Amino acid sequence: MDEFGTVTEYKELRPANLYDVAANETWLEDLAREGYRLKGFTGWSGVFVKDEPCECRYRMQPKGKKEKAPPVEQVELYRELGWEY
């Protein structure tokens, strides 16, 4: 948030090909430690919002081409396990 209370976004190019899962997960975790929370992806860039620095783990999961998100049941299971999709 800036001095006017507006949420500001930050974009950064992914450090590796999408198929290099370990490099991308580490990159996201490093940015979380710096206080940037992933909002989503656009092309080769991650879109982040400024947040409190935190220690967290990211895990990437493949999805089908037409799938926008995992099934509701799976997201609920993630939540029960303490994960955020």
Side-chain angles (χ1 to χ4, degrees):
M1 225 180 255
D2 63 16
E3 66 270 16
F4 303 108
T6 306
V7 174
T8 55
E9 291 183 349
Y10 166 72
K11 288 184 182 179
E12 184 173 308
L13 288 175
R14 283 194 316 256
N17 184 298
L18 187 58
Y19 297 106
D20 189 344
V21 173
N24 284 287
E25 289 174 345
T26 299
W27 169 64
L28 293 169
E29 292 166 4
D30 290 345
L31 283 169
R33 276 189 220 88
E34 294 175 22
Y36 293 97
R37 183 172 42 87
L38 180 66
K39 181 178 174 185
F41 286 102
T42 175
W44 277 88
S45 296
V47 180
F48 302 86
V49 292
K50 188 67 176 152
D51 203 351
E52 292 295 317
C54 69
E55 285 290 328
C56 66
R57 291 177 36 183
Y58 278 84
R59 292 296 174 254
M60 296 175 71
Q61 177 178 330
K63 60 180 180 135
K65 286 186 178 191
K66 295 182 180 182
E67 192 179 30
K68 298 237 184 238
V72 173
E73 299 82 17
Q74 192 170 3
V75 173
E76 288 174 6
L77 176 61
Y78 290 164
R79 192 174 304 114
E80 289 173 16
L81 294 170
W83 302 345
E84 180 183 335
Y85 175 77

